[in-house]
Amino acid sequence: SLSQPISIIAEDTFDPKLPIISMAGNFNIVANSSVEYLHFIDVVLRGTDYSSKYVHNINTAGILGEVKFENCRIEIFRGITRTQNVAATINLFSINNCIIDSIAGYGIVINDGAASKINQISITNSTISGAEIIVGAGKNNAQAVKISDCTFYRAPNSGRYIVDYNGLTVTDGIVINNCIFSTPKTSGTTNGVRVGTGGSMGENNYYTSDYTGSINSSTSIPGLKAYSGNAATLFNSPMQGDFSFKDGSFAGKSTAGDPRWR
C-alpha cells in the first residue's frame, strides 16, 4: 500500500524491450493517506490471472492525486484501476502511448462505489484490444473524460458502453476525438456513450462495418463516421496486434487511431 508518491520507470538502456512487472497483487493506498502520484513509465504490467488481479483495487479511504501510465503495455487483468465503495479519490487517471490487451470485466477504469470518486480520466494515443469494459459503470459524478487518438479492437463487450455514466454528471462533458472502433469483443450490439448531465462531444471518429450498434442514435459515439470495410480490411493483422493500415484509401489514415499505426 502507498503512503508516498512513487514512479516506476524502466532503466535507460539500449535494450528496446520493456521490463516486465508480474502483478501477483494490487496497489492500494494506506488508509487516510494523501499520495501525490503513482506513475508507471516504459514498463510492461502483466497480471497473473483474470479473476482477481488489478493494477489498483482501492478499498481504503484516501487521496491519490495522479495515476499515470506512459508508454506501457498492460495485459491480463480483471481490471486496471478500480475504486471500491470507500471515501477514496483519484484526481486524474491518465493513459498515454500505451498498448492494452486482455482486460476482463472491470475494464480500463471503473469508479465502483458511490463513496469514491475519479475526477478526470484521460486516455490518449493508445491501442486497446480485448477489453470487456473501457470506462464503465460509474457510480459517482466526474469532472471530465477525454479519449483521443486511440484504436479500439474487440472492445468493449456487446451490451457495454465505451463510456458509461448512467444518470450521473460529468461536469465538463465527455470528449472523444480521432478514434477508430472495430469489432466488439463479443458478438452483438455495442453502445457508445451514456451520461446523465454534461453530454458528449467529439469529431473524426470512425467505426468499421463489423462494429455493430455503435451508431445507436441515443448513445452514439460523437462525430462518428462509417468505414465500409471490416477490421480485417482496414488493418494489416489485427488479431496479431498489428493495426497499421492495409487500406491506403481510408479517409482517417493520417488523422485517426493510435498515431503509432499511421
Side-chain angles (χ1 to χ4, degrees):
S1 293
L2 303 172
S3 60
Q4 299 292 327
I6 295 177
S7 290
I8 299 174
I9 183 169
E11 181 183 5
D12 188 10
T13 70
F14 293 106
D15 188 345
K17 295 181 180 178
L18 301 180
I20 298 172
I21 301 173
S22 181
M23 298 283 295
N26 312 306
F27 281 91
N28 207 338
I29 53 178
V30 173
N32 302 311
S33 293
S34 181
V35 180
E36 185 179 358
Y37 59 81
L38 174 59
H39 293 169
F40 299 92
I41 303 171
D42 300 331
V43 295
V44 176
L45 296 166
R46 182 174 294 158
T48 55
D49 66 70
Y50 296 101
S51 63
S52 62
K53 298 302 182 291
Y54 304 79
V55 179
H56 312 93
N57 187 16
I58 297 174
N59 62 5
T60 54
I63 298 172
L64 186 48
E66 180 185 57
V67 173
K68 180 171 76 172
F69 301 89
E70 180 75 31
N71 191 38
C72 293
R73 291 190 64 98
I74 310 169
E75 55 195 25
I76 315 175
F77 288 99
R78 188 184 190 197
I80 296 177
T81 294
R82 175 195 184 194
T83 56
Q84 296 190 37
N85 193 29
V86 294
T89 298
I90 297 174
N91 285 322
L92 173 62
F93 173 87
S94 172
I95 287 175
N96 183 58
N97 192 33
C98 292
I99 294 178
I100 298 170
D101 188 38
S102 302
I103 307 297
Y106 278 77
I108 307 303
V109 57
I110 183 168
N111 188 103
D112 197 28
S116 62
K117 193 168 189 178
I118 302 174
N119 283 321
Q120 297 184 63
I121 294 171
S122 175
I123 304 172
T124 57
N125 304 310
S126 295
T127 297
I128 297 172
S129 63
E132 294 185 18
I133 292 176
I134 310 301
V135 179
K139 294 181 181 176
N140 203 342
N141 302 324
Q143 183 68 34
V145 176
K146 175 187 176 183
I147 301 175
S148 72
D149 298 272
C150 291
T151 297
F152 294 89
Y153 175 71
R154 298 181 63 244
N157 272 8
S158 63
R160 298 293 190 176
Y161 293 79
I162 300 299
V163 179
D164 192 359
Y165 281 88
N166 184 27
L168 296 168
T169 296
V170 180
T171 306
D172 294 337
I174 298 164
V175 178
I176 303 176
N177 292 331
N178 307 324
C179 290
I180 301 171
F181 300 91
S182 60
T183 313
K185 190 172 186 297
T186 53
S187 61
T189 298
T190 299
N191 300 298
V193 176
R194 183 164 65 170
V195 63
T197 304
S200 60
M201 61 198 80
E203 59 184 10
N204 198 47
N205 298 305
Y206 291 85
Y207 73 102
T208 58
S209 61
D210 50 354
Y211 199 76
T212 55
S214 59
I215 56 172
N216 180 307
S217 60
S218 64
T219 67
S220 180
I221 299 164
L224 195 64
K225 306 174 184 180
Y227 170 73
S228 59
N230 61 20
T233 303
L234 180 59
F235 303 120
N236 272 308
S237 189
M239 285 297 292
Q240 284 69 48
D242 179 0
F243 297 95
S244 57
F245 295 123
K246 178 190 295 185
D247 184 356
S249 66
F250 171 50
K253 66 180 180 180
S254 61
T255 61
D258 184 340
R260 82 188 71 226
W261 307 115
R262 296 178 191 169

